[in-house]
């Protein structure tokens, strides 16, 4: 028996659920087939479980049913193999939820226009599950959210079905439940934060330990038993709140540390010190230092958003989350800093921003991925437009920009050929995609504003480069 499987006498995962897991007949349902839900569903399918993906987006469901993928780093073959083996199917038909033994919720958790948590997707999904909830089913929320969501938002909606899942405290030593107060639950409810890192080639989904916390001991054990089937390691915490807070801590840690290096970068620029050289040198310390890198601002679905879920919840406790607020302020100021650096560099060449032709390289929020949510490039384009610059862009992952929640640029990508690069007053490297030829960019462009130190290996024409 491994550490993960160890279970003291008297604490039992519901028997039918456990035996279905052992025989790999447990039906797994994943709701929300985006960057998180699709790889998760495919992981269970690859591990031999009949898996059904649910989504409200018919185009995604159609693509998957045809054995195709709409996420660049997930190859079509990863989907088609499982569809052909009849281990994976996708549907918009939520009545099929009734047949599921485990339902994993992976829907978006954005901020609304007042920068407050928008839990409408989580609420709608809980309401979609409610009429199909049945005894013995395990429901797990995976969407990132503030501590309390599973018990305060999801549980009451599911219990309107008449089935109950009582909140019963239990304790855990990290790998197993040790002191349960056993409950008579009709269904099981847990939280397990998703730790997907799109584009990360070092760790595959199953290698990243899965944290789980239950509304009661039975729920925690059921969630642990489930994830043990597909993940190398599970970590059990003593409540859904602790599991929810774990994810927020991870993302706040990144947000705050990125803000720290962004602030130090501003100081280093004034002091004539190369911040990237300093971070490289500090990284040689084998303990007590983890490198974070400055950039044009935060992007993605997680780091710019999740900490503010906690800030919102903390208000209920009259507690100001000062670190988060300050980090948010510093990181949010970075796009304006990029534009100011460009303005100063043009000024030094007796040019002004108004009417200048600017080429943005990279729209994705980080390198080598096809995700532009909250990307700082979008804010930079917006600021440049406000100042009267004429902006074009290139990104190998985005041939066109479509209407987004906040922006509607309706632009098509310009290929960064030698002639094109030379025709702009300045090029801004916002995303350091690996496919870019940085030597050529510096050779042909008139001025290069580099927000990522992507040009560090370029030897020639360094006088054209402005690090910012
Ligand atoms: N993308 C990441 O890197 C990442 C990493 C860790 C955690 N998360 C968290 O995971 C959650 C999902 O993020 P994502 O990046 O996969 O989002 P996404 O936008 O890529 O995918 C969400 C999917 O949910 C679907 N959906 C929306 N409402 C639905 C409903 N009512 N029923 C069924 N499907 C519905 C959408 O059509 C979409 O396909 C969020 O809470 C996010 O914070 C994301």
């Amino acid at each position: 028996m491994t550490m993960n499987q160890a279970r003291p006498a008297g604490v039992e995962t519901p028997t039918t659920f456990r035996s279905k897991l052992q025989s790999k007949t447990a039906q797994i349902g994943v709701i929300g087939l985006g960057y998180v839900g699709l790889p998760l569903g495919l992981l269970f399918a690859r591990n031999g479980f009949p898996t059904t993906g649910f989504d409200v987006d018919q185009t995604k469901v159609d693509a998957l049913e045809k054995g195709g993928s709409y996420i660049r780093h997930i190859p079509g073959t990863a989907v088609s193999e499982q569809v052909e083996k009849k281990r994976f199917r996708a549907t918009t038909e939520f009545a099929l939820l009734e047949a599921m033994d485990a339902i994993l919720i992976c829907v978006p958790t954005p901020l609304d226009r007042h920068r407050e948590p928008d839990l409408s997707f989580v609420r709608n999904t809980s309401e979609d599950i409610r009429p199909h909830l049945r005894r013995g089913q395990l429901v797990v929320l995976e969407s990132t959210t503030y501590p309390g969501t599973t018990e305060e938002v999801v549980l009451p909606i599911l219990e309107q079905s008449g089935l109950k899942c009582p909140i019963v405290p239990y304790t855990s030593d990290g790998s197993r439940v040790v002191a349960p107060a056993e409950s008579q639950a009709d269904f099981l409810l847990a939280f397990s934060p998703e730790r997907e890192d799109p584009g990360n080639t070092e760790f595959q989904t199953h290698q990243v330990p899965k944290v789980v916390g239950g509304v009661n001991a039975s729920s925690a054990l059921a969630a642990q038993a489930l994830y043990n089937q597909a993940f190398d390691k599970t970590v059990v915490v003593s409540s859904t709140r602790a599991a929810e807070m774990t994810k927020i801590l991870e993302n706040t840690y990144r947000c705050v540390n990125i803000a720290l290096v962004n602030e130090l970068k501003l100081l280093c620029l004034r002091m004539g010190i190369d911040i990237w050289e300093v971070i490289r040198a500090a990284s040689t310390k084998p303990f007590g230092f983890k490198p974070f890198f400055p950039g044009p601002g935060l992007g993605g679905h997680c780091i710019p958003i999740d900490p503010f879920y906690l800030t919102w919840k903390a208000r209920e406790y009259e507690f100001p989350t000062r670190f988060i607020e300050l980090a948010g302020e510093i990181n949010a100021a970075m796009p304006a800093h990029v534009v100011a650096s460009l303005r100063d560099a043009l000024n030094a060449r007796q040019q002004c921003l108004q009417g200048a032709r600017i080429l943005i390289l990279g729209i994705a929020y980080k390198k080598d991925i096809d995700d532009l949510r909250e990307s700082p490039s979008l804010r930079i384009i917006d600021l440049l437009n406000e100042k009267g610059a004429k902006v074009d862009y290139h990104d190998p992952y985005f041939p066109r920009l479509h209407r987004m929640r906040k922006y509607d640029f309706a632009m098509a990508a310009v290929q960064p050929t030698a002639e094109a690069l030379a025709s702009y007053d300045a090029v801004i490297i916002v995303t350091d995609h690996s496919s870019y030829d940085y030597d050529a960019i510096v050779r042909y462009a008139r001025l290069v504003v580099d927000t990522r130190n992507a040009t560090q290996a370029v030897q020639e024409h360094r006088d054209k480069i402005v690090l910012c």
Side-chain angles (χ1 to χ4, degrees), residues 394-441:
H394 173 265
D395 190 300
Y397 299 99
F398 295 98
R400 305 196 73 78
L401 293 185
H402 297 289
R403 192 187 175 85
M404 288 158 268
R405 216 153 47 107
K406 194 162 164 199
Y407 300 109
D408 184 11
F409 294 132
M411 296 160 81
V414 168
Q415 288 310 309
T417 58
E419 301 74 50
L421 287 165
S423 72
Y424 288 92
D425 295 303
V427 169
I428 311 181
I429 301 169
V430 184
T431 319
D432 49 344
H433 288 306
S434 309
S435 56
Y436 283 138
D437 178 346
Y438 293 104
D439 282 313
I441 289 167

Side-chain angles (χ1 to χ4, degrees), residues 31-37 54-57 60 70 94 106-109 121 124-125 128 142-144 194-198 247 301-302 306 365 371 373:
I31 306 184
L33 301 171
Y35 286 91
V36 163
F54 297 82
D55 206 291
V56 287
D57 186 338
K60 285 186 177 166
Y70 40 81
F94 284 74
C106 304
V107 295
T109 43
F121 298 90
N124 290 344
T125 302
D128 286 339
E142 294 224 0
S143 305
T144 308
E194 184 47 60
R195 288 167 148 178
E196 190 64 23
D197 183 14
K247 175 70 187 183
H301 189 316
C302 297
D306 304 344
Y365 78 85
D371 188 349
R373 287 175 292 178

Side-chain angles (χ1 to χ4, degrees), residues 170 172 174 177 211-214 220 235-240 242-243 246:
Y170 65 93
S172 157
V177 170
V211 173
V212 297
V235 177
V236 188
V237 293
S238 65
S239 62
T240 52
T246 303

